[in-house]
């Protein structure tokens, strides 16, 4: 069995390749070429955490992928200065069911989540987008930034988090490099972050909208990846109601995405307000943005097909790069 550590995963999953893999994953899901049960949730009430079990099997472009991910989300881990998300991905041989690899899932989840938003940004954001806003200066915020800078020529980035020290650390670690601008700025308020933003990424566990609808500029594209329960809501209801809404999975979003469930419960929108799955845009069966002034919103709760193709890509690249450790099983 192959073991890939966090460091191995980061080397084996370059963002541009993962973005393309996520497009394939989304397309397979929307084309009915994947078996993806709704993830099982195990609440850990004493610690206000949750452990999720996410299996997936898919066929895409001649390849098969079979994986099971176990991911735990503990929001209070931030107080202990450890990651909110811990995960492991078990890769099985599709034609035999034989376990063949175990991958560190925290890095894989962060990269594939960022790449999913990168795919949506490529399909929905205006080509001339130059200014971005990141809400949440954690691990997910970092891969969101990397993804959108891979896809669009971002020149200025505003970063907002209620903990200023996290913002300072984020800016120090992420500024410059091959694709990320060195013009990263700490936003004092959510309004300052979004008022000029062409692309907004929210990667928080907030139960209340992280910015106000009134400050959005026309034509902004929003990636909402943080909220994953019906009680969480990062995006204002008013924004959702006037945006072109695209999701990773209709069934999963209607079951888990508070950004959509709460406006539906209030009678402000209904299920038909979801314009498309992102896979339908990849396949060309649905159109995306129709005008420069249109606000677009990609809501992702994360789907296991992303893990499956990201894991396949990581294994392929790791073997070519000589990464990982083999153990007897």
């Amino acid at each position: 069995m192959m073991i890939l550590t966090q460091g191995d995963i980061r080397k084996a999953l370059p963002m541009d390749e993962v973005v393309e893999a996520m497009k394939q994953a989304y397309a397979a899901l929307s084309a009915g070429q994947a078996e993806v049960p709704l993830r099982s949730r195990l609440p850990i009430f004493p610690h206000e955490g949750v452990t999720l079990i996410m299996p997936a099997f898919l066929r895409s472009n001649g390849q098969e992928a079979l994986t099971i991910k176990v991911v735990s989300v503990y929001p209070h881990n931030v107080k202990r200065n450890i990651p909110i998300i811990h995960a492991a991905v078990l890769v099985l041989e599709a034609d035999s069911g034989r376990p063949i690899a175990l991958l560190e899932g925290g890095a894989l989840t962060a990269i594939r989540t960022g790449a999913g938003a990168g795919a949506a940004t490529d399909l929905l954001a205006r080509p001339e987008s130059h200014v971005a806003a990141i809400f949440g200066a954690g691990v997910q915020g970092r891969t969101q930034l990397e993804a959108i800078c891979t896809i669009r020529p971002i020149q200025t980035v505003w970063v907002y988090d209620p903990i200023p020290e996290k913002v300072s650390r984020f800016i120090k670690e992420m500024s410059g490099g091959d694709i990320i601008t060195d013009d990263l700025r700490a936003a004092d308020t959510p309004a300052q972050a979004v008022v000029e933003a062409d692309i907004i990424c929210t990667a928080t566990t907030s139960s209340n909208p992280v910015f106000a609808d009134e400050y959005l500029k026309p034509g902004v594209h929003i990636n909402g990846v943080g909220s994953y329960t019906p009680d969480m809501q990062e995006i204002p209801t008013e924004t959702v109601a006037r945006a072109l809404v695209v999701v990773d999975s209709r069934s999963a979003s209607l079951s888990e995405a508070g950004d959509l469930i709460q406006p539906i419960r209030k009678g402000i929108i209904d299920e038909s307000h979801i314009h498309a799955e992102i896979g339908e845009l990849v396949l060309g069966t649905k159109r995306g943005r129709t005008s420069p002034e249109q606000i677009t919103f990609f809501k992702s709760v994360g789907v296991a097909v992303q893990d499956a193709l990201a894991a396949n890509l990581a294994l392929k690249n790791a073997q070519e790069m000589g990464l990982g450790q083999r153990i007897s099983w």
Side-chain angles (χ1 to χ4, degrees), residues 92-275:
L92 307 173
E93 192 173 57
D95 62 358
S96 71
R98 178 173 63 97
I100 57 174
L102 183 65
L103 283 58
E104 193 282 321
L108 184 142
T109 298
I111 294 168
R112 66 79 151 154
T113 302
T121 299
D122 195 24
L123 293 163
L124 290 167
R126 291 177 295 113
E128 65 273 19
S129 297
H130 295 301
V131 180
I134 303 291
F135 284 83
V139 173
Q140 297 284 347
R142 284 163 167 76
T143 57
Q144 293 290 306
L145 175 59
E146 182 183 356
I148 62 174
C149 288
T150 298
I151 296 303
R152 291 290 186 268
I154 302 300
Q155 298 174 356
T156 301
V157 179
W158 293 92
V159 185
Y160 181 82
D161 191 288
I163 303 175
E165 294 79 9
K166 290 182 64 178
V167 174
S168 297
R169 188 163 58 248
F170 183 103
I171 290 174
K172 181 179 179 181
E173 293 176 1
M174 299 301 293
S175 294
D178 293 336
I179 60 169
I180 297 176
T181 176
D182 58 6
D183 187 10
L184 269 62
R185 308 178 186 183
D188 295 326
T189 65
Q192 185 180 30
V194 303
V195 68
E196 305 222 355
D198 302 304
I199 300 170
I200 299 170
C201 296
T202 63
T204 77
T205 56
S206 180
S207 297
N208 299 295
V210 296
F211 58 81
D213 176 77
E214 63 189 283
Y215 295 112
L216 298 180
K217 67 185 290 186
V220 65
H221 170 67
I222 303 165
N223 296 309
V225 306
S227 62
Y228 57 91
T229 74
D231 297 324
M232 292 179 175
Q233 185 180 16
E234 297 183 294
I235 311 303
T237 294
E238 300 92 334
T239 302
V240 175
R242 68 190 182 106
L244 182 80
V245 176
V246 177
V247 298
D248 49 8
S249 162
R250 281 188 178 84
S251 58
S253 295
L254 290 171
S255 174
E256 299 175 344
D259 291 307
L260 301 176
I261 292 170
Q262 293 192 38
I264 289 172
R265 285 176 177 171
K266 294 174 183 176
I268 295 172
I269 64 171
D270 58 27
E271 295 182 7
S272 67
H273 189 66
I274 297 175
H275 169 68

Side-chain angles (χ1 to χ4, degrees), residues 302-322:
V303 284
V305 289
Q306 294 176 265
D307 303 309
L309 281 195
N312 265 22
L313 178 62
L315 282 178
K316 171 181 172 293
N317 286 344
Q319 289 167 356
E320 292 175 357
M321 299 168 70

Side-chain angles (χ1 to χ4, degrees), residues 14 18 36 52 60 76 101 133 156 219 224 320:
V18 189
V36 189
L52 310 170
S60 176
H76 295 304
T156 301
E320 292 175 357

